[in-house]
Amino acid sequence: MKGAISMDIEVKQLSVTFPSSTGYVRVLRDVSLLFHEGKITALVGESGSGKSILGTAIMRLLPENAKMTGSISYDGKELLQISEKEMNEIRGNRIGWIAQDPISAMDPLMRVGRQVTEVLRKRLGWGKEKSRKSALAQLEKYGLADPIRVYSSHPHQLSGGMAQRVMAAMMTLPSPEWLIADEPTKGLDPLVRKQVADMFLQIKMAGRGMLLITHDLALAERLADRVVVLYAGEILEQGSVADIFKNPQHPYTRGLLAAAPSRGLHPIPGNPPDLSHLEDGCIFRKRCALCGKGCEKRQTMRKVGEVHFVKCGVMSD
Ligand code: SF4
């Protein structure tokens, strides 16, 4: 916290819509959430649930044809209203973004070392030698065993795990208050996944807030303080790690957990709804085994524990 100002990120009634050939696709609807500074919040859900859209919306990196309504506030600023110049200051300096595919997010023609030192030279005005030394130390700190070789490599010469580390090293320079990581363990083998998880644990210990967008429920359970479950553009449940993993209430959350490799890989039957033609009622009802009276009505979030909320009238009664 800077002085008395909270460095939480607050999202209120955020909706995101894209035009398409079949109508307007409402990929995120009325999402309200508080991301607490210094804590890790995991966003989990199936593909297409809106997890990455939410992270990208906070960074204001959605395509130009996306229509956003609602509010995202941070450090007393309304991120949907500030100028592109102000937003650029926040990106990287205050909120770091680790993209889903870090190799593609880097400049393919520029050596890794130059990409890392540019961050220091541009943001802190450091000279060449000071930036180089600091970049090498940072690469080593993030577990790259041969930082000199990595420094002089091009992005395509890095493995997936190395690229994740380089991106994390770059994004924690100089020292942002927040990191948003989009599927940081996707496509990595189990050993590298564990190493990347250890690296995020280190970042957490350094007191940084993090928004962890992931399919990897084991990673969310290991790292997160809070977990938010998204489905078809809506939040269906949120709570502490224990609430979600030990005492899940929403039928979708239970299905998601049962579909995890560690819990038997039992898939949730059916498919998510067509977001360009949404029907009334509970968004999950076409796939819910408990669907019955009352489910034809739109559901609202209800409190079922200290920080535990669920959007299902049947399970919260
Ligand atoms: S409101 Fe009804 S359909 Fe929706 S999750 Fe709850 S029980 Fe299932």
Side-chain angles (χ1 to χ4, degrees):
M1 192 178 285
K2 272 192 179 176
I5 300 174
S6 157
M7 291 298 138
D8 294 346
I9 297 176
E10 186 166 17
V11 175
K12 277 193 204 152
Q13 302 273 291
L14 183 72
S15 294
V16 178
T17 307
F18 285 101
S20 81
S21 54
T22 55
Y24 283 93
V25 186
R26 299 165 64 202
V27 290
L28 222 52
R29 294 177 307 286
D30 289 332
V31 166
S32 294
L33 266 177
L34 188 63
F35 297 107
H36 296 275
E37 64 171 321
K39 303 281 182 207
I40 297 187
T41 302
L43 294 182
V44 301
E46 294 169 303
S47 296
S49 59
K51 312 183 293 290
S52 295
I53 295 280
L54 178 53
T56 318
I58 293 171
M59 296 305 287
R60 240 178 65 184
L61 289 172
L62 287 172
E64 273 182 11
N65 64 348
K67 186 175 165 237
M68 282 196 275
T69 57
S71 152
I72 303 171
S73 57
Y74 168 63
D75 191 16
K77 295 186 176 70
E78 173 49 59
L79 299 192
L80 298 187
Q81 304 296 337
I82 59 177
S83 67
E84 188 54 28
K85 188 166 173 256
E86 280 178 282
M87 193 63 214
N88 257 332
E89 280 293 306
I90 288 178
R91 284 187 209 115
N93 283 338
R94 311 284 307 278
I95 307 177
W97 168 249
I98 301 183
Q100 195 167 126
D101 179 357
I103 293 179
S104 313
M106 288 186 238
D107 184 334
L109 302 176
M110 204 189 275
R111 290 183 197 276
V112 168
R114 183 148 166 237
Q115 301 197 41
V116 182
T117 52
E118 275 216 342
V119 175
L120 294 166
R121 298 179 74 177
K122 281 190 181 155
R123 292 191 191 141
L124 300 179
W126 287 4
K128 199 171 169 186
E129 197 42 38
K130 187 176 177 186
S131 299
R132 182 177 176 277
K133 275 191 187 150
S134 179
L136 285 169
Q138 181 80 347
L139 292 173
E140 194 168 10
K141 182 175 153 195
Y142 277 84
L144 289 147
D146 188 350
I148 293 177
R149 188 169 70 81
V150 172
Y151 189 92
S152 52
S153 300
H154 281 96
H156 72 272
Q157 294 172 303
L158 304 176
S159 67
M162 287 162 94
Q164 278 293 350
R165 286 164 191 276
V166 168
M167 199 47 119
M170 209 147 67
M171 286 302 145
T172 46
L173 284 172
S175 189
E177 285 128 15
W178 280 92
L179 263 190
I180 301 183
D182 192 2
E183 298 288 4
T185 55
K186 195 173 177 182
L188 303 180
D189 65 48
L191 179 64
V192 183
R193 245 190 348 246
K194 186 184 171 305
Q195 290 169 348
V196 169
D198 289 345
M199 176 186 78
F200 279 111
L201 212 50
Q202 252 183 42
I203 296 173
K204 175 181 173 172
M205 305 290 261
R208 247 172 223 116
M210 201 187 306
L211 177 47
L212 178 66
I213 298 163
T214 187
H215 272 89
D216 186 341
L217 294 176
L219 182 75
E221 188 171 14
R222 180 164 175 221
L223 294 185
D225 300 289
R226 295 279 168 87
V227 181
V228 176
V229 182
L230 276 158
Y231 175 72
E234 289 184 21
I235 297 173
L236 295 190
E237 186 163 5
Q238 60 172 303
S240 66
V241 173
D243 291 334
I244 300 300
F245 287 95
K246 303 269 188 293
N247 184 29
Q249 294 297 305
H250 199 285
Y252 174 64
T253 310
R254 292 179 178 184
L256 201 62
L257 293 178
S262 60
R263 301 193 189 208
L265 274 173
H266 304 292
I268 305 173
N271 293 305
D274 176 354
L275 297 182
S276 58
H277 295 98
L278 288 170
E279 295 173 11
D280 288 340
C282 170
I283 190 79
F284 188 59
R285 71 188 172 125
K286 290 271 161 65
R287 300 173 77 185
C288 183
L290 301 179
C291 182
K293 197 163 173 280
C295 303
E296 72 288 351
K297 292 190 199 134
R298 189 172 162 68
Q299 303 296 304
T300 53
M301 211 47 128
R302 297 164 193 232
K303 187 170 166 126
V304 291
E306 199 185 334
V307 293
H308 193 180
F309 295 85
V310 62
K311 203 175 197 178
C312 167
V314 173
M315 296 305 290
S316 59
D317 275 348

